[in-house]
Amino acid sequence: MIAPASAPAPLEVWILPADRAHDALAAHLAPRTLRRDGAGKPWVPGGPYLNLSHSGALALIAICADTEVGVDLERIRPLRNPPGLSRRMCSPREAAWLADQADPAVALLRLWVRKEAVAKAQGGGLRTALSGLDVLAGHVELPEGRYALCDLPDPAPGYLAALAWRETFPAQDHRPSRHSPPSGERPLSDDRP
């Protein structure tokens, strides 16, 4: 289990073989049932909040009792069209930072895992406009609240990972109930072959 000191408590972060992730998560949460909302985000009636990511042979899971979490894990690999990807996903400040990096391809993947972790914590996933998420600082301000993020150091050789969590809620907003189903929810097992 890995978890940064600045993350909310209680928080569990696991890295494990991808082919064991769903079974390990189901065993950990039993007898509660793992479900997916209409956007594909996993949730558990009554809590806790959780998120998972897989890349290559590994999976990354975050479970938190108190707030929404998002994780992303990516195997370091050659990217197709890095300039085009950076134009679509980077803010102007991130593009300037990227130009100064010794290994722009790895730096671009680092930005990607941070952005995807925030987007997953926020609930939008890859439907979120990634260029609107400037992830160079340790937090992102969105209309839904403030999201903190951090890199997960050395998740495994050849991988990058990030964790994000919701820090604040707007004054007019109320925390979503973990006891009522999100719209379009379905059992997680519906997504498995």
Side-chain angles (χ1 to χ4, degrees), residues 90-108:
C90 291
S91 69
R93 192 168 80 104
E94 290 168 334
W97 174 83
L98 193 58
D100 289 337
Q101 299 306 300
D103 190 340
V106 171
L108 186 58

Side-chain angles (χ1 to χ4, degrees), residues 13-154:
V13 181
W14 309 336
I15 189 158
L16 64 163
D19 62 353
R20 292 188 28 227
H22 289 279
D23 292 339
L25 192 53
H28 179 75
L29 296 171
R32 295 165 290 186
T33 306
L34 187 62
R35 314 279 291 176
R36 285 197 186 267
D37 67 15
K41 185 172 180 162
W43 72 283
V44 177
Y49 295 100
L50 59 102
N51 196 244
L52 63 137
S53 177
H54 21 71
S55 180
L58 296 178
L60 182 65
I61 298 171
I63 302 172
C64 185
D66 297 330
T67 191
E68 292 285 353
V69 291
V71 290
D72 191 42
L73 173 73
E74 293 291 335
R75 184 177 50 82
I76 298 172
R77 64 193 182 284
L79 299 173
R80 284 182 278 152
N81 191 13
L85 182 59
S86 66
R87 277 192 303 277
R88 286 191 310 279
M89 68 171 255
C90 291
S91 69
R93 192 168 80 104
E94 290 168 334
W97 174 83
L98 193 58
D100 289 337
Q101 299 306 300
D103 190 340
V106 171
L108 186 58
L109 273 174
R110 169 68 61 210
L111 291 174
W112 177 269
V113 297
R114 287 176 166 200
K115 286 174 180 279
E116 190 166 343
V118 170
K120 289 167 77 177
Q122 181 260 345
L126 291 179
R127 293 183 323 273
T128 302
L130 297 181
S131 61
L133 301 176
D134 187 315
V135 295
L136 287 178
H139 66 276
V140 175
E141 298 285 346
L142 296 173
E144 301 84 18
R146 179 182 167 119
Y147 293 81
L149 70 139
C150 65
D151 297 327
L152 295 176
D154 303 318

